Amino acid sequence: MPIRPPMLVLRSLLFNIAFYANLIARLVLYVPLLAMPRPWLRAAVRDWARSSLWLMRVIAGISVEFRGQENIPQSGFLIASKHQSAWETFALFAVFPDSAYVLKRELALIPFFGWYTLKSRMIPVDRTAGAAALATMTDRVGEEIANGRQVIIFPEGTRRPAGAPPDYKFGVVQLYHRLGVPCLPVALNSGLFWPRRSFIRRPGTIVVEFLPVIPAGLTRSKFRTLLITRIEDASDRLLAEGRAASGMPRGREAVHTA
């Protein structure tokens, strides 16, 4: 039986209170880990991500399905993920053993949160610095991948509404070409259930699909075309699946241009 809007609002409100209370409590409790070796904080962050997914399932009625985990390579590589929601900014910690996000420099300046991003060796980018920022980002990403880490980048740079036309930036192409590393494309439908700029959390199943790895060595144009096609086609399929399973109205599908 579909959840009535008042119940949807109530469950969303309760979840958001629990989610942010859990986040704030852990930001305080984890302070001593700033003086410990990085693996200690890494384990704590993964535990926070899993606890957030548990709260989401129990309170908001949103479960998660990870598909294609057999496509995940070993050791260090680049991850290019669709970005529809704030959800994927923490949920992927639960999957990858030693991930590093490419993120806005402003986030690293936030008290507590910023301290953890620095300790965890996340990769802040000053988007106002132009070519210099791209060069610095490339060096940092290469360093982390060489250390066996999984570096996560959102190729569109910011959250896009579910089904919106793609808007891929040059940064991911630069990283792939300059570093000569494989890239794991990631499709998802999180925007249906955790919409951007909304406190509503709609019950259903978020599906994340790890697609076949794009091997190193392709030309810039071929890589870009293949990346967009794989992520967008799979994300549209997951959006249609999510709408059908949750009884949502069919949305207008994105028109893809490589």
Side-chain angles (χ1 to χ4, degrees), residues 68-81:
Q69 295 190 63
E70 68 277 5
N71 291 322
I72 299 176
Q74 300 298 314
S75 193
F77 55 93
L78 184 65
I79 302 166
S81 174

Side-chain angles (χ1 to χ4, degrees), residues 18-19 22-23 25-27 29-30 33 38-57 90-99 120:
F19 175 81
N22 182 45
L23 172 61
R26 288 173 185 263
L27 286 174
L29 290 173
Y30 289 172
L33 298 180
R38 188 176 65 84
W40 291 38
L41 179 59
R42 180 178 68 201
V45 169
R46 297 190 75 196
D47 182 67
W48 163 67
R50 293 187 181 109
S51 72
S52 298
L53 295 178
W54 181 83
L55 289 172
M56 191 176 70
R57 176 172 57 83
F90 71 86
L92 296 181
F93 279 124
V95 179
F96 298 105
D98 192 11
S99 55
S120 300

Side-chain angles (χ1 to χ4, degrees), residues 5 12 15 27 77 81 83 92 110 114 119 125 177 184 224:
S12 298
F15 168 74
L27 286 174
F77 55 93
S81 174
H83 194 17
L92 296 181
I110 299 173
K119 177 67 177 183
V125 176
H177 178 74
L184 177 70
R224 183 176 186 273

Side-chain angles (χ1 to χ4, degrees), residues 5 7-8 11 29 44-45 53 74 78 83 85 87 97 110 127-128 139 164 169-170 172 200 217 219 229 248:
M7 183 59 72
L8 176 64
R11 292 180 73 174
L29 290 173
V45 169
L53 295 178
Q74 300 298 314
L78 184 65
H83 194 17
S85 166
W87 180 84
I110 299 173
R127 295 188 294 183
T128 65
D139 290 343
K169 312 302 183 187
F170 179 74
V172 67
I200 291 295
T219 64
T229 300
M248 297 181 188

Side-chain angles (χ1 to χ4, degrees), residues 152-214:
I152 301 169
I153 185 171
F154 299 119
E156 294 172 282
T158 190
R159 290 171 295 168
R160 303 277 293 162
D167 184 22
Y168 286 63
K169 312 302 183 187
F170 179 74
V172 67
V173 179
Q174 162 81 356
L175 292 174
Y176 171 84
H177 178 74
R178 289 288 301 275
L179 299 176
V181 295
C183 178
L184 177 70
V186 179
L188 44 75
N189 63 2
S190 58
L192 292 178
F193 309 100
W194 187 313
R196 67 173 196 155
R197 300 173 185 170
S198 172
F199 84 98
I200 291 295
R201 305 290 177 257
R202 299 188 179 98
T205 300
I206 293 176
V207 179
V208 178
E209 187 167 339
F210 303 108
L211 303 168
V213 170
I214 299 176

Side-chain angles (χ1 to χ4, degrees), residues 94-123:
V95 179
F96 298 105
D98 192 11
S99 55
Y101 279 85
V102 176
L103 46 79
K104 295 184 293 186
R105 178 178 174 270
E106 292 82 356
L107 295 175
L109 302 178
I110 299 173
F112 287 93
F113 184 85
W115 305 341
Y116 293 117
T117 65
L118 296 175
K119 177 67 177 183
S120 300
R121 293 187 58 82
M122 300 295 136
I123 304 169

